[in-house]
Amino acid sequence: MSVDNLKPTIDEEQQQELMAKYDREFTYRKLTGLLGKVVFALAIIWSLWQLYTATFGLKPPTIQRGVHVGFALVLVYLLYPLKTSDRSNKVKWYDFILLAGSIVVVGYHVLNFESLLFRAGAYTRTDMIISIIAVILVIEATRRVAGPVLITVSGAFLLYAFFGNLVPGFFSHGGYSLQRIATYAWISTESILGTPIMVSSTFIFLFLLFATYLKMTGIGDWLTDLALAIAGHTTGGPAKAAIVASASQGTISGSSVANTVGTGSVTIPLMKSIGYRSEFAGAVEAAASTGGQLMPPVMGAAAFIMTEFTDLPYVTIALAASIPALLYFTGIFIMVHLEAKKNGLEGIPKNKLPKVKKLLKEKWFLSIPIFIIVGRLVIGKTPMNAAIWGIASSIIIGFINSAIDKDQQFGIKEVIKGLEEGARSALPVVMACASAGIIVGVVTLTGLGIKLSHGIVLLSGGNIYLTMFLTMIASIILGMGMPTTANYIVQATIAAPALIKVGVPVIAAHLFVFYFGIVADITPPVALAAFAGSGIAGSNPFKTGVEASKLAFAAYLVPYIFATSPVLVLVDAKPLTVIIALATALIGMFGIAGGVSGYFLRHSKAWERLVLFGSGLMLVNPSYITSGIGLVLLGIIYVLQRSSKEKTA
């Protein structure tokens, strides 16, 4: 079969059903008639508002952030039902009440922002009632779009703020009145309208809009074709192509499930066609798509949130994340190669694949928006500036591509449609940021952050490895039911300070919690990205999750390495030191992959697997002594397996 111009094996409606099954954000109503037109209009107006303020200047924080949350609340109550099982596609009477309440609380805040500012700390009874309603509306909207975990955590923090005087030990505080908690949560710019929503209302929305236009212009399909053309003919080629495509596309998107379904609808059937097991095929795509959020430059928009929490420049964060991301994808790449060698799986014949030269010659210009946005960020322009340039260039490229390729439609209709889809894609992120802001607000109000970090350090006895282990478990558990963005915000507020307290550098601490929040999507028992991959592969979901977590072994190991030896995140690193550390770490990936997979040059014995794994760990650790020992041990296994393989031959 020829894979030139291969189309997804499941149509767009099937993809939506699969994503809705494993990700709550895709369980929205499909409205028609007047309400459908209202949603369409509201989404477009919201996108235009965001583009206008980004281009001509932001409004005062209360207005900028309040309007942002207001649009999200109204659209959520129109689009998302009370229960995910409700497939009636009808807006209920109580949804209209919640919608009206959303307009009232946001309107009150925006219209009275000056008077609220002047009477800060002396709020009225009306202020309190409006604030209580606003908090309830935000929590319910978040539950509808992001599930129960985040709102359970937010609710627990609100209860802690109110009943703090009943909490024993050093977590105790005097307790705050209902008025104080509610007004702080809604009227101040330290909670719901705090840093997370600030980032969402400025940077993240625009990058989601940019991602929407990239998809509509055909660049996603082109990247998948290019990945197949480059790697498809090699040993286990389709799996390697899946990794390349997912890494390149996943950096823009903040949804592991959407990445898996979008790219996997093409790559998973290809992997199965050359002999990969169903579980393994689904796992490869899930692990690669999940890792896309670890990949600079955008990291699923987390790079921009991280700049706010760490006070580090964007370029510093993007560069620091580069080596760990490279190790992550190298590990998966080696694992699929060894799996293919172990089972004798060949690639796809070159004559059945797209041609690299042809793709580059005919569609090279599709990569321009990505180069523009990265270039603007690297030269020091603001993320908003970079996103505006990226959106404008992607629209222009869309028109050019449509004129050249008659199969690719892109006109004014698609530009308008992109405004709507971009706004829709922002809803889960906005509500996650709003509810995460409640947690951040309580931490700030009560001083809980200092107490929690102190408690974690106390529980671990100040041991850096035990502190990291406790933080890892917390990040994975929260990540199993919480969007990546919200998980990172919570962990950056609570857990990262504990890591910093035991000596982990700031950037390493924040990347540590970010990594483990992401790998929750491929960590059983709740491995949502792996389950989505299994839906396409027709495999056992749990077994697919186990395979995905094995493939992503680097994500479980590398954070410990860069937290204790931060040269891998470029902290106090000299060029030669970085080059040596990167080279030995890449070699170490072969050892670890050989140990995990049970195959190196041939099927490995149990003791060989242990030596391979141990030598790989030593090589990944950027120390001359351990790297030297690891290199010797890996060399011994290489010679032994090479000689025994030759004798067998």
Side-chain angles (χ1 to χ4, degrees), residues 43 71 118 367 389 393 414 450 477-478 483 516 553 575 591 606:
F71 271 112
F118 286 126
S367 63
W389 277 70
S393 62
E414 283 69 32
I450 297 172
I477 291 174
L478 283 174
F516 284 115
F553 62 85

Side-chain angles (χ1 to χ4, degrees), residues 505-578:
V506 172
I507 183 62
H510 283 262
L511 285 174
F512 186 95
V513 298
F514 179 58
Y515 262 59
F516 284 115
I518 285 176
V519 298
D521 282 340
I522 50 172
T523 303
V526 187
L528 296 181
F531 292 172
S534 75
I536 300 173
S539 61
N540 179 286
F542 185 80
K543 290 182 179 178
T544 305
V546 172
E547 290 283 0
S549 59
K550 285 169 60 180
L551 284 166
F553 62 85
Y556 298 94
L557 296 175
V558 172
Y560 282 90
I561 303 299
F562 67 60
T564 52
S565 301
V567 66
L568 290 179
V569 288
L570 307 181
V571 175
D572 298 327
K574 297 178 181 178
L576 181 61
T577 307
V578 172

Side-chain angles (χ1 to χ4, degrees), residues 47-48 50-52 54-55 202-214 216-217 252 368-370 372-374 376 383-399 410 414-415 418-419 422-423:
S47 290
L48 291 174
Q50 296 292 155
L51 289 169
Y52 174 80
T55 305
T202 52
F203 313 151
I204 295 179
F205 188 98
L206 297 177
F207 275 91
L208 291 172
L209 194 57
F210 172 63
T212 299
Y213 282 121
L214 281 185
M216 296 180 73
T217 54
I252 303 294
I368 289 176
I370 294 177
I372 285 178
I373 207 165
V374 173
R376 301 294 292 179
M384 282 192 300
N385 176 277
I388 290 293
W389 277 70
I391 291 167
S393 62
S394 61
I395 291 173
I396 294 170
I397 292 300
F399 284 126
F410 191 88
E414 283 69 32
V415 173
L419 294 174

Side-chain angles (χ1 to χ4, degrees), residues 584 618-619 621 623-634:
T584 56
M618 291 180 180
L619 280 159
N621 184 22
S623 162
Y624 291 120
I625 296 175
T626 56
S627 294
I629 296 172
L631 196 59
V632 170
L633 291 173
L634 188 63

